[in-house]
Amino acid sequence: MISTKVFALLFAAACGVVSVDGFVSSSTSRLGNIQKSNLHATTAESAPDSLALFSPCKINLFLRIIRKRPDGFHDLASLFQAVGFGDTLTLSLNNYGESDEFTCNMEGVPTDSSNLVIRALELMREKTGKTSVYFNADLFKRCPAQAGLGGGSANAATAMWGANELMGRPATLEQLIEWSGALGSDITFFLSRGTAYCTGRGEIMTPIDPPLPSGAKLSIVKPNLGLSTPKVFKALDYDQLSTEDPQMLCDLFLKEGVVNTDDKYYINDLEQPAFDCLPELKALKDELLEVKGFDHVMMSGSGTS
């Protein structure tokens, strides 16, 4: 669940809304005040060919499901916003190996070829033709799984951007954005400047100015419950989808700002199926609405945050 103007804790980590130009060294990042990098990372002091990159999570200020497509995917329209809470990916060239080496601090996170970080590095070799370049990647994970915060997608985008830097920038940012759609629907967003209106499967991105100032404070509440995105979509009742025009919603958020936008426009079409799957989520939202100081409360993505 997300609520604005409140500074709170998620797994003992403070969180703020940020505008991100690319990725920055974790040593220069502060939650809620990420320094602009203009797509130039700072190299880690320990090794000139190593990068320590912040991998930010996102929230959805609104999320409309438009239709189910013939290919089984869904067309959506959503206002994505990066936040100052996320993971750290340390990436370096593996000059002595013939494969990528990947480690992660969080128990249960796969470290084989099924992980999006490894898949992103493989994609970069394929697309750039630099097939003999391999990497050491260490992911310090803070973002929980099945939270609706896009943590895995952010990790993939961060890996793509970092690999491109270490390879000597063989690809343009526009190419990275184009290639990212092969890995997942919302990975493209994490190659933006931090705020974007996304359509299609989520891979069609229109960067926009943030509807709130950098450093604005919010609270993310993640219960000890998870939901897979496929399960949520399977429970979707198309008759209960909002009929609000998503472009109108986007324009409204930009005009009024997140605090002044009326509650009725904080729409997430995935709340209904998530609440049907886990009634505890609906109870949690109702409880948070009673908390003094929360201007707006809604679920992010497919939940359960």
Side-chain angles (χ1 to χ4, degrees), residues 230-246:
K231 184 174 182 178
V232 173
F233 272 99
K234 187 175 181 179
L236 184 63
D237 182 349
Y238 294 91
D239 292 333
Q240 295 191 46
L241 295 178
S242 169
T243 58
E244 294 288 355
D245 176 19

Side-chain angles (χ1 to χ4, degrees), residues 1-2 7 13 68 79 92 103 136 143-144 162 200 204 213 225 255 287 293-294 296 301:
M1 306 295 174
I2 61 176
F7 195 64
K68 186 173 183 179
L79 181 54
S92 63
T103 56
N136 298 310
C143 179
I204 302 173
L225 297 166
K255 178 183 177 181
E287 290 178 12
F294 281 14
H296 309 284

Side-chain angles (χ1 to χ4, degrees), residues 19 79-81 193-196 206-212 250 253-254:
S19 177
L79 181 54
F80 282 63
Q81 175 64 54
R193 295 170 60 90
T195 310
T206 304
I208 60 174
D209 293 330
L212 69 175
C250 186
F253 271 89
L254 291 177

Side-chain angles (χ1 to χ4, degrees), residues 83-106:
V83 300
F85 174 74
D87 307 326
T88 300
L89 179 67
T90 302
L91 198 64
S92 63
L93 293 172
N94 184 356
N95 294 317
Y96 305 103
E98 296 183 354
S99 63
D100 296 315
E101 299 292 335
F102 179 52
T103 56
C104 181
N105 68 303
M106 185 175 286

Side-chain angles (χ1 to χ4, degrees), residues 1-199:
M1 306 295 174
I2 61 176
S3 58
T4 59
K5 284 183 66 180
V6 178
F7 195 64
L9 300 179
L10 172 62
F11 303 126
C15 184
V17 173
V18 296
S19 177
V20 182
D21 292 342
F23 306 95
V24 298
S25 166
S26 59
S27 63
T28 63
S29 299
R30 289 184 295 162
L31 295 175
N33 186 22
I34 293 183
Q35 299 177 7
K36 302 296 175 76
S37 69
N38 197 28
L39 290 175
H40 287 78
T42 302
T43 54
E45 293 181 3
S46 59
D49 59 349
S50 177
L51 297 172
L53 303 170
F54 178 63
S55 182
C57 294
K58 60 81 180 170
I59 57 174
N60 302 84
L61 294 172
F62 69 82
L63 174 56
R64 284 287 338 279
I65 303 300
I66 309 303
R67 64 182 67 84
K68 186 173 183 179
R69 303 173 0 167
D71 60 8
F73 290 101
H74 290 78
D75 280 325
L76 59 82
S78 181
L79 181 54
F80 282 63
Q81 175 64 54
V83 300
F85 174 74
D87 307 326
T88 300
L89 179 67
T90 302
L91 198 64
S92 63
L93 293 172
N94 184 356
N95 294 317
Y96 305 103
E98 296 183 354
S99 63
D100 296 315
E101 299 292 335
F102 179 52
T103 56
C104 181
N105 68 303
M106 185 175 286
E107 184 178 353
V109 174
T111 55
D112 58 14
S113 59
S114 66
N115 191 283
L116 279 170
V117 170
I118 295 296
R119 291 175 58 196
L121 298 177
E122 292 173 345
L123 179 68
M124 288 300 295
R125 279 192 293 273
E126 173 191 338
K127 293 294 188 179
T128 63
K130 294 182 176 288
T131 57
S132 61
V133 179
Y134 296 97
F135 302 90
N136 298 310
D138 178 68
L139 180 64
F140 187 85
K141 199 103 177 103
R142 302 178 187 88
C143 179
Q146 297 187 348
L149 300 175
S153 295
N155 297 159
T158 306
M160 289 185 67
W161 191 83
N164 192 56
E165 291 291 305
L166 294 175
M167 286 175 167
R169 297 183 187 170
T172 65
L173 177 60
E174 289 72 22
Q175 287 175 310
L176 295 181
I177 290 172
E178 179 184 353
W179 299 342
S180 67
L183 295 173
S185 297
D186 58 357
I187 295 173
T188 302
F189 165 72
F190 292 101
L191 294 165
S192 76
R193 295 170 60 90
T195 310
Y197 177 58
C198 297
T199 55

